[in-house]
Amino acid sequence: MPDSALTAVVDDEIWTLDRPVWFSGVRMRARTTVVRLDDGSLLLHTPAPPTDGLTEQLRALGPVRWLVVPNCWHHLGAPAAAAHFPDAKVVGPASALNRNKALKLHMDIHDAQFGEQVPEFEALPLQGVPFWDETVLYHRPTQTLLGADIVLCAGAKDHWTLRYAARITGFYERVRVPPDARKKIPDKAAAARSIRAMLERPAQRLIVGHADVIEEGWRDDLAQAWRLEGVKV
Ligand SMILES: [Fe+2]
């Protein structure tokens, strides 16, 4: 499969692209999600560095208008994508700027302006976990929650290094909070309120950065993962 292959999740509205990324000695799947907005333009969530193949596919779908950095970790491809799509606005948390000097934001993801300018999305900040500073987006037209690191899950299709790490740390074929964040939830009550807000959305699926798309049972999976970390949802 070419590295630029988009997979349709919701026909004509949502696609995903997975690419390999090495992180802490394991090869993970890192996902870019493409959403076609009501005006026909595109929003890229966790933009990948653009390749010729990806650019061509995106051009066929619509103009790229938004590049979303959903937390302070998922910024790696954003500067290259911003250079490639100069008409797109980059939205993300200010905390990501400290981690990537090449990153420039047009808008803070915590700013209410984002919801005003892209009204089909509701921003749901995950409070209590400054380690990520993540904001999950709820896409109303397709009833889809778009997150990055709030949970992950490895499976048979993953690289052996990740399968090995996942078996040791408990996320092989199980939806879990990523191990590197488990001891970094200083305000569990705030995290619980945030996760509850996500659970209350009438979503049909949860898309995150490092797992297959979670459809049936996403609420149970998300709630159980956080309960295991002492977050009472
Ligand atoms: Fe991630």
Side-chain angles (χ1 to χ4, degrees), residues 11 28 57 62 64 70-71 76 89 95 98 140 143 145 149 153 165-166 204 211 221:
D11 281 349
M28 307 188 75
Q57 285 191 77
V64 176
N71 66 23
L76 293 176
K89 285 185 182 163
S95 54
N98 301 326
R140 295 183 179 94
Q143 297 178 289
L145 281 166
D149 288 320
C153 182
Q204 296 186 28
D221 286 343

Side-chain angles (χ1 to χ4, degrees), residues 23 28-30 46 71 73-74 132 134 148-150 178 209-210:
F23 179 76
M28 307 188 75
R29 276 183 277 159
T46 308
N71 66 23
W73 294 91
H74 280 216
W132 286 329
E134 178 151 336
D149 288 320
I150 56 167
H210 318 289

